[in-house]
């Protein structure tokens, strides 16, 4: 049976769901509408082009041209080379190979002139892909080897993966299934190490196709059905289309041509939708061959001529050879012998020119059929003998390779077994010596330990009486200290760890995926690290302040201060934080009030109360601060329109030995330490702090300060 050229997905496919891909396109489009900077627009256009790789070649070309135009104006060489690579790929698959080559040559020249190593190797990869798509395997392998070596030097596993895919595809076209499968397997291991599910699915397609070429049809079908099982059946993307196409090829080889046609007809609309001429031609060829075997002459003739037409226009030699061989057989049946001979001669010339040998047996068989049909039985016999010789040589070569590989594996395993036995003997001797040394050391250590324990027991007995009185006197102080310690360790263990985990997590992610992120994504990661750092610093500052209070290292220094000025200073420190959540921060001015207090204490109290109010007030809310005189004290109130406090929280917040924590409206973390500090400081200044809610909405905290008594 004639071998059928099938579609392989040799570069990484976007197998994610349609909604995920569309969300990314929508995000980029929205970002583009807000961006005023043309240089940033160039980068966004390039990203949008990449999103349309396997969905819409016209959109891919549109955005790539936009990126190229802006990058050329502002001399953003790296972005421009990416855009040129996008255009090269799009024009290859749109059948405009001359334009594709021009874009690729420009990318290579620019990368070389600007000494952009990474961009040069990526452009080399696309040159290899260009030659592969045209059936020029030798030239393709030269550029792909260069790109692969560059990827190894740069430690770029993604580029290595792409190169191995196309290298394997070239060997598959040459009929070297062992090398093809070996390179696909290497690519699979790289994808597995990267935990890249999309590429693993892609490589399942490629390995399945290799098995198909090697006539291992049952196993190939399992691979293709696995792809369909893991893909969205309602979303006809290129991966699903390829699986349908290759399943059709399997059933075609099993002579179930009606079932094969049903699969080919499912694949063709998807290929037409993305306007990929390379893939459309293959689908036409597959439908042509299956209809040929079902003796649907007119349908077969239509599909095969369409395939030949596209492949001639695009110089896709490997596909064209297969199409011409099948078309020639059809022309012989229709007794169009002149056309049949021209088709066979064209196929033979292409096969020799581009060293495409995987379908040589089919070509020789078609020549034999042609000569027997025109009653030239001598020539027919000559080509039949050449066909059999070629089939035997391919079979023997394949078997000899397998035998050689088995012999090599056997010798390697035998050598490894001998080495293992030697290692075991040596290990036993070393283990015996180590055991003796271990016993001796244990006895010495045990003796020393006994001496130390006796010394400790005697010493403890001596100081026990002395320590008893001291322990009794310090019992109350130790209880307080233990509570302080427990509270401190609780905060450190639970609250201080959280922002540092955030910093470490985002830093690791930024470090490992830096090259795969765009500038916008990097800024988001850095912003998260910054916010977590500020949170950790504020918490640590509160911890240190509280610890100093417990140790008696902080002394208040009361002085005469204007209350309005203290409040205004605190508000100004938090206006930017309030603005981020669109919160209105206001102060209801009262008559001039002078207070007798410690400035640092009041600023810390106001800062914590305002910060908490911002934390628990949603976007668009409000915070108001007021002051008034009650008896001989000034009372300051901080009210917000936030989520308020539960009855349980109100009972806990100022209770000694208790802390209460909750999460802010923007998932801000708290330790409950701020209000503890407020209570400590206000009491050190002779005032009080309390929860003063006057309604069910929001929260209100109030504290009192001594007024300055004028003489």
């Amino acid at each position: 049976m004639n071998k059928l050229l099938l579609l392989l997905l040799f570069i990484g496919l976007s197998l994610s769901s349609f909604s995920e891909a569309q969300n990314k396109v929508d995000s980029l489009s929205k970002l583009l509408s807000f961006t005023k900077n043309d240089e940033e627009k160039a980068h966004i256009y390039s990203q949008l082009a990449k999103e349309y790789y396997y969905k819409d070649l016209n959109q891919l070309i549109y955005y790539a041209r936009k990126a190229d135009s802006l990058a050329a104006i502002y001399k953003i060489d790296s972005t421009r080379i990416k855009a040129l690579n996008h255009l090269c790929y799009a024009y290859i698959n749109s059948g405009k190979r001359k334009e594709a080559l021009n874009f690729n040559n420009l990318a290579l020249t620019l990368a070389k002139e600007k000494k952009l190593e990474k961009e040069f190797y990526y452009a080399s990869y696309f040159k290899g892909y260009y030659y592969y798509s045209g059936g020029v395997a030798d030239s393709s392998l030269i550029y792909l080897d260069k790109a692969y070596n560059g990827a190894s030097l740069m430690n770029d596993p993604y580029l290595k993966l792409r190169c191995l895919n196309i290298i394997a595809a070239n060997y598959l076209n040459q009929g070297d299934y062992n090398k093809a499968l070996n390179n696909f397997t290497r690519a699979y291991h790289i994808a597995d190490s990267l935990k890249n599910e999309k590429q693993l699915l892609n490589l399942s397609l490629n390995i399945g196709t290799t098995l198909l070429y090697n006539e291992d049809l049952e196993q190939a079908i399992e691979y293709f059905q696995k792809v369909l099982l893991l893909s969205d059946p309602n979303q006809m993307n290129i991966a699903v289309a390829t699986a349908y196409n290759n399943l059709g090829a399997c059933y075609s080889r099993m002579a179930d041509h009606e079932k094969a046609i049903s699969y080919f007809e499912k694949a063709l609309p998807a290929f037409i939708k993305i306007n990929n001429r390379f893939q459309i031609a293959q689908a036409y060829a597959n439908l042509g061959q299956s209809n040929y075997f079902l003796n649907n002459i007119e349908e077969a003739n239509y599909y095969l001529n369409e395939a030949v037409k596209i492949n001639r226009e695009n110089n896709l030699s490997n596909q064209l050879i297969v199409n011409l061989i099948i078309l020639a057989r059809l022309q012989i049946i229709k007794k169009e012998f002149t056309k049949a001979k021209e088709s066979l001669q064209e196929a033979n010339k292409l096969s020799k020119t581009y060293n495409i040998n995987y379908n040589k047996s089919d070509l020789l068989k078609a020549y034999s059929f042609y000569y027997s049909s025109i009653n030239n039985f001598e020539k027919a016999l000559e080509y039949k003998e050449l066909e059999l010789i070629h089939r035997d040589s391919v079979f023997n070569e394949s078997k000899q390779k397998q035998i050689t590989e088995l012999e090599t594996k056997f010798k390697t395993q035998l050598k490894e077994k001998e080495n293992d036995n030697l290692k075991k003997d040596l290990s036993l001797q070393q283990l015996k010596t180590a055991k003796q040394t271990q016993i001796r050391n244990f006895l010495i250590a045990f003796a020393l330990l006994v001496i130390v324990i006796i010394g400790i027991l005697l010493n403890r007995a001596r100081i026990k009486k002395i320590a008893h009185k001291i322990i009794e006197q310090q019992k109350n102080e130790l209880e307080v200290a233990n509570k302080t310690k427990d509270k401190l360790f609780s905060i450190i263990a639970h609250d201080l760890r959280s922002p540092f985990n955030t910093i470490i997590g985002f830093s690791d992610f930024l470090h490992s995926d830096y090259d795969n992120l765009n500038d916008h994504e990097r800024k988001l990661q850095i912003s998260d690290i910054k916010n977590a750092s500020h949170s950790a610093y504020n918490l640590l500052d509160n911890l240190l302040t509280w610890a100093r209070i417990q140790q008696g290292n902080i002394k208040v220094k009361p002085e005469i201060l204007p209350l309005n000025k203290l409040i205004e200073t605190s508000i100004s420190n938090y206006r930017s934080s309030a603005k981020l959540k669109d919160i209105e921060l206001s102060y209801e001015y009262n008559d001039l009030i002078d207070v007798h207090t410690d400035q640092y204490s009041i600023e810390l109290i106001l800062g914590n109360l305002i910060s908490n109010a911002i934390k628990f007030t949603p976007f668009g809310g409000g915070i108001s601060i007021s002051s008034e005189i009650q008896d001989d004290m000034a009372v300051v109130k901080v009210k917000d329109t936030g989520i308020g406090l539960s009855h349980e929280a109100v009972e806990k917040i100022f209770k000694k030995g208790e802390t209460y924590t909750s999460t802010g409206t923007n998932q801000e973390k708290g330790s409950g330490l701020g209000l503890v500090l407020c209570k400590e400081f206000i009491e050190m200044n002779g005032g009080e702090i309390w929860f003063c809610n006057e309604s069910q909405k929001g929260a209100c905290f109030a504290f009192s300060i001594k007024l300055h008594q004028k003489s």
Side-chain angles (χ1 to χ4, degrees):
M1 182 183 294
N2 289 21
K3 288 189 177 179
L4 193 61
L5 184 61
L6 304 163
L7 176 63
L8 287 158
L9 300 181
F10 295 117
I11 48 184
L13 295 179
S14 177
L15 297 175
S16 57
S17 68
F18 175 79
S19 59
E20 290 174 338
Q22 189 59 44
N23 284 341
K24 191 163 185 181
V25 169
D26 292 342
S27 297
L28 288 168
S29 299
K30 190 173 181 180
L31 182 61
L32 187 65
S33 65
F34 285 112
T35 302
K36 304 296 184 183
N37 188 304
D38 283 344
E39 295 182 30
E40 291 180 10
K41 283 184 177 180
H43 177 69
I44 297 170
Y45 280 132
S46 179
Q47 290 293 102
L48 279 165
K50 187 178 178 182
E51 289 303 311
Y52 282 102
Y53 246 63
Y54 309 105
K55 295 188 290 185
D56 191 329
L57 289 177
N58 292 328
Q59 288 288 85
L60 167 57
I61 291 170
Y62 171 78
Y63 285 116
R65 282 195 172 279
K66 287 276 190 182
D68 176 46
S69 176
L70 288 174
I73 293 170
Y74 293 100
K75 297 183 179 179
I76 315 169
D77 300 318
S78 177
T79 301
R80 190 180 184 199
I81 292 168
K82 286 180 184 177
L84 292 169
N85 286 336
H86 295 331
L87 289 167
C88 173
Y89 169 82
Y91 277 96
I92 287 171
N93 290 288
S94 297
K96 300 176 181 179
R97 296 181 59 78
K98 184 177 179 181
E99 292 90 336
L101 184 60
N102 290 337
F103 287 125
N104 180 255
N105 287 336
L106 182 54
L108 281 168
T109 301
L110 186 59
K112 196 170 183 180
E113 286 178 355
K114 302 298 182 179
K115 297 181 180 179
L116 298 172
E117 186 178 43
K118 180 178 179 179
E119 286 74 10
F120 176 77
Y121 289 124
Y122 269 87
S124 297
Y125 160 78
F126 279 100
K127 178 74 83 175
Y129 179 72
Y130 168 83
Y131 281 121
Y132 154 72
S133 65
V136 189
D138 294 338
S139 297
S140 178
L141 288 170
I142 290 171
Y143 281 97
L144 291 170
D145 285 339
K146 183 186 294 185
Y148 180 83
N149 291 332
S152 299
L153 290 172
M154 297 185 300
N155 192 25
D156 186 340
Y158 183 64
L159 181 56
K160 288 169 70 174
L161 179 63
R162 297 176 77 176
C163 290
L164 287 171
N165 262 328
I166 309 297
I167 289 170
N170 277 297
Y171 284 126
L172 194 57
N173 283 342
Q174 291 179 328
D176 195 335
Y177 304 126
N178 286 335
K179 284 186 178 179
L181 195 57
N182 177 56
N183 282 284
F184 280 138
T185 304
R186 288 170 65 194
Y188 192 95
H189 288 320
I190 293 175
D192 190 41
S193 68
L194 296 172
K195 306 297 182 188
N196 191 325
E197 296 296 332
K198 299 174 187 177
Q199 290 291 353
L200 289 173
L201 198 58
N202 165 40
L203 285 159
S204 295
L205 277 172
N206 296 347
I207 293 171
T209 304
T210 308
L211 294 168
L212 170 57
Y213 273 101
N214 206 30
E215 302 294 337
D216 192 350
L217 301 178
E218 295 295 337
Q219 195 172 353
I221 288 172
E222 288 181 12
Y223 273 94
F224 300 139
Q225 287 178 337
K226 175 184 175 183
V227 173
L228 291 176
L229 184 65
L230 297 176
S231 303
D232 183 354
N234 299 317
Q235 179 57 40
M236 181 60 76
N237 56 34
I238 192 171
V240 175
T242 303
Y244 280 136
N245 186 70
N246 291 1
L247 279 167
C250 289
Y251 287 109
S252 176
R253 289 171 185 251
M254 295 165 74
D256 191 347
H257 299 296
E258 289 184 355
K259 195 167 185 177
I261 288 174
S262 70
Y263 280 113
F264 293 143
E265 287 178 341
K266 289 180 180 179
L268 181 59
F271 297 152
I272 292 174
K273 183 179 178 181
I274 63 174
N275 192 30
N276 192 316
R277 306 288 288 172
F278 178 67
Q279 297 155 343
I280 292 170
Q282 289 181 337
Y284 277 136
N286 296 341
L287 284 164
Q289 175 167 288
S290 291
N291 277 288
Y292 164 77
F293 285 120
L294 289 173
N295 205 29
N296 298 331
I297 303 302
E298 294 305 319
E299 289 88 342
N301 187 61
Y302 167 76
Y303 285 124
L304 289 169
N305 275 293
E306 286 295 311
V308 167
K309 179 182 176 182
I310 294 172
N311 289 328
R312 274 206 189 110
E313 289 173 354
N314 301 331
N315 297 318
L316 301 176
S317 306
N318 47 2
Q319 290 195 76
L320 186 55
I321 292 169
V322 179
N323 303 157
L324 288 167
I325 292 170
I326 304 169
L327 184 60
R329 297 182 69 88
L330 187 64
Q331 289 165 340
I332 292 167
I333 291 172
K334 296 175 69 178
K335 300 189 182 304
E336 296 174 351
F337 298 116
T338 302
K339 290 182 178 180
K341 188 172 184 180
E342 289 174 355
S343 297
L344 290 171
Q345 286 174 338
E346 185 179 356
N348 189 39
K349 184 178 179 181
L350 289 168
S351 180
K352 290 179 178 178
T353 302
Y354 298 113
N355 189 27
I356 300 174
N357 297 315
Y358 71 89
N359 52 10
K360 188 173 181 180
S361 296
D362 296 331
L363 180 60
L364 294 170
K365 186 176 181 179
Y367 263 116
S368 179
F369 179 49
Y370 165 74
Y371 281 114
S372 65
S373 298
I374 61 173
N375 299 321
N376 189 342
F377 298 109
E378 184 178 351
K379 276 281 188 182
L381 181 60
E382 177 185 338
Y383 276 100
K384 178 56 70 175
E385 289 174 347
L386 289 172
E387 178 200 345
L388 294 173
I389 290 169
H390 179 73
R391 286 186 184 277
D392 287 342
S393 67
V394 171
F395 177 81
N396 291 333
E397 182 181 355
S398 175
K399 290 301 178 186
Q400 185 58 45
K401 283 183 179 179
Q402 293 178 22
I403 291 168
T404 303
E405 288 175 1
L406 287 172
E407 287 178 350
T408 303
K409 287 180 180 179
F410 176 74
K411 289 177 181 178
T412 302
Q413 289 174 355
L414 188 62
K415 189 69 176 176
E416 288 175 352
K417 192 171 182 180
E418 291 175 356
N419 289 337
D420 287 342
N421 289 333
L422 288 172
K423 287 178 181 178
K424 284 178 182 177
D425 292 340
L426 181 61
S427 296
L428 286 171
Q429 184 62 37
Q430 290 174 341
L431 186 62
K432 187 176 179 181
T433 304
K435 195 170 183 179
Q436 292 173 348
T437 304
Q438 188 178 18
I439 292 170
R440 185 185 69 241
N441 292 341
F442 174 77
L443 291 172
I444 294 170
F446 182 77
L448 291 171
L449 181 62
V450 170
I451 294 170
V452 170
I453 290 172
I454 292 171
I456 291 171
L457 291 173
L458 291 172
N459 187 59
R460 288 185 66 182
R462 183 178 61 83
I463 64 173
K464 187 174 182 180
K465 291 181 180 180
I466 301 171
H468 182 72
K469 287 185 179 181
I470 299 173
I471 290 171
E472 286 293 324
Q473 292 173 354
Q474 295 180 345
K475 183 178 179 181
N476 292 333
E477 294 178 7
L478 284 173
E479 286 179 356
V480 174
N482 280 331
K483 286 183 179 179
T484 301
K485 177 200 67 175
D486 291 341
K487 192 184 296 182
L488 180 63
F489 280 126
S490 173
I491 293 169
I492 291 173
H494 296 92
D495 300 293
L496 191 57
R497 180 186 296 174
S498 178
F500 280 111
N501 283 341
T502 303
I503 294 167
I504 292 167
F506 282 117
S507 300
D508 286 344
F509 178 76
L510 188 61
H511 179 265
S512 61
D513 274 24
Y514 187 88
D515 290 336
N516 296 328
L517 300 173
N518 57 41
D519 287 344
H520 178 67
E521 290 169 333
R522 291 172 189 151
K523 287 178 180 177
L524 288 177
Q525 299 296 323
I526 292 168
S527 176
D528 287 332
I529 292 171
K530 176 188 172 185
N531 292 337
S533 301
H534 282 296
S535 175
Y537 177 82
N538 291 335
L539 177 56
L540 185 59
D541 188 55
N542 279 342
L543 276 170
L544 293 174
T545 302
W546 182 66
R548 289 170 63 199
I549 292 173
Q550 302 306 311
Q551 294 169 357
N553 292 334
I554 291 183
K555 305 294 182 184
V556 296
K557 297 178 181 179
E559 57 184 316
I560 301 168
L561 298 168
L563 182 58
N564 285 343
K565 187 173 181 182
L566 286 173
I567 295 173
E568 287 171 356
T569 301
S570 297
I571 289 174
S572 66
N573 291 335
Y574 288 90
R575 283 204 185 277
S576 58
S577 298
K579 189 175 181 181
L580 290 174
K581 295 179 71 172
D582 197 24
I583 293 172
E584 181 181 0
L585 188 56
S586 63
Y587 172 42
E588 299 173 13
Y589 284 85
N590 205 330
D591 295 334
L592 294 178
I593 302 174
D594 289 335
V595 293
H596 187 254
T597 188
D598 175 69
Q599 181 175 348
Y600 174 79
S601 301
I602 302 307
E603 288 180 349
L604 183 141
I605 294 165
L606 280 167
N608 272 293
L609 293 179
I610 294 171
S611 176
N612 277 354
I614 292 171
K615 186 186 302 180
F616 297 105
T617 300
F619 282 85
I623 299 170
S624 64
I625 302 169
S626 63
S627 62
E628 61 185 54
I629 296 174
Q630 293 182 8
D631 299 328
D632 60 344
M633 303 291 283
V635 175
V636 179
K637 293 183 179 180
V638 179
K639 301 178 184 178
D640 62 62
T641 60
I643 58 179
L645 286 172
S646 65
H647 180 70
E648 177 194 7
V650 172
E651 289 185 347
K652 282 187 175 182
I653 51 176
F654 293 122
K655 189 175 180 181
K656 191 168 184 179
E658 297 269 359
T659 55
Y660 177 80
T661 64
S662 60
T663 304
T665 60
N666 203 22
Q667 301 303 310
E668 303 97 331
K669 300 292 184 182
S671 65
L673 189 58
L675 290 174
V676 174
L677 285 174
C678 290
K679 182 174 174 61
E680 297 271 8
F681 273 104
I682 200 65
E683 289 177 351
M684 289 168 68
N685 283 272
E688 293 180 3
I689 186 168
W690 64 94
F691 184 72
C692 61
N693 248 36
E694 298 167 357
S695 65
Q696 295 298 317
K697 185 177 181 182
C700 173
F701 287 89
F703 63 91
S704 60
I705 319 170
K706 289 181 180 179
L707 285 170
H708 168 55
Q709 300 296 331
K710 297 179 181 179
S711 56

